[in-house]
Amino acid sequence: MSQKKFLFVNRKAPYGTVYALESLEVVLISAAFEQDVSVAFLDDGVYQLLKAQDGRALGMKNFAATFRALGDYGVTRLYVERDALSVRGLTAADLMDITYDDDADQVQSAVILVDQAQMAAIMADHDVILS
């Protein structure tokens, strides 16, 4: 089976709808089938990576910790649009520390801040884009 490059684009806040949780589940399933998986966070999707979030007040499961397991599935590129953070008054310091061990057992950050032009280039480089 040939490996396709999948980019999952998240634009929704983590709670209030099922979109963010279901997207994360599909990311994990795709990675389990050994596809090349990356995730992009645009617009309100940047809220999915915020530290100390809790959906219990909305009656939703808190799934934020699952992002930390993505590296175990080979998902090591979480692209966050810098402008989306800025517009919402956020910085990289507001995001969870999501890391993975590379081939040399060095701890690397999976979160990659990009500008809009870089995000466009990233999207152009993928075979499949799912939103």
Side-chain angles (χ1 to χ4, degrees):
M1 173 169 44
S2 69
Q3 192 177 51
K4 297 256 186 198
K5 290 180 75 172
F6 285 80
L7 179 66
F8 291 88
V9 178
N10 292 318
R11 294 180 180 269
K12 302 285 185 184
Y15 304 106
T17 68
V18 297
Y19 294 117
L21 176 58
E22 288 187 357
S23 174
L24 182 57
E25 289 175 350
V26 174
V27 165
L28 291 168
I29 291 166
S30 298
F33 282 99
E34 299 181 4
Q35 298 302 308
D36 183 351
V37 176
S38 301
V39 187
F41 297 89
L42 310 167
D43 305 325
D44 286 345
V46 299
Y47 290 123
Q48 293 180 32
L49 298 181
L50 285 183
K51 294 176 183 173
Q53 52 181 284
D54 188 354
R56 288 180 294 186
L58 298 171
M60 297 190 75
K61 177 182 174 184
N62 183 3
F63 60 88
T66 307
F67 284 107
R68 290 190 177 95
L70 289 176
D72 295 336
Y73 287 84
V75 181
T76 59
R77 293 173 312 277
L78 306 179
Y79 299 107
V80 178
E81 192 174 66
R82 195 177 284 117
D83 289 343
L85 286 175
S86 179
V87 165
R88 288 157 183 80
L90 302 171
T91 67
D94 295 311
L95 303 178
M96 290 184 279
D97 185 29
I98 302 172
T99 61
Y100 66 96
D101 292 340
D102 66 12
D103 293 335
D105 282 335
Q106 299 293 315
V107 176
Q108 303 288 330
S109 177
V111 177
I112 304 163
L113 297 181
V114 297
D115 61 30
Q116 290 179 346
Q118 290 169 311
M119 187 64 77
I122 290 163
M123 288 182 174
D125 187 49
H126 284 77
D127 300 308
V128 180
I129 298 174
L130 298 165
S131 179

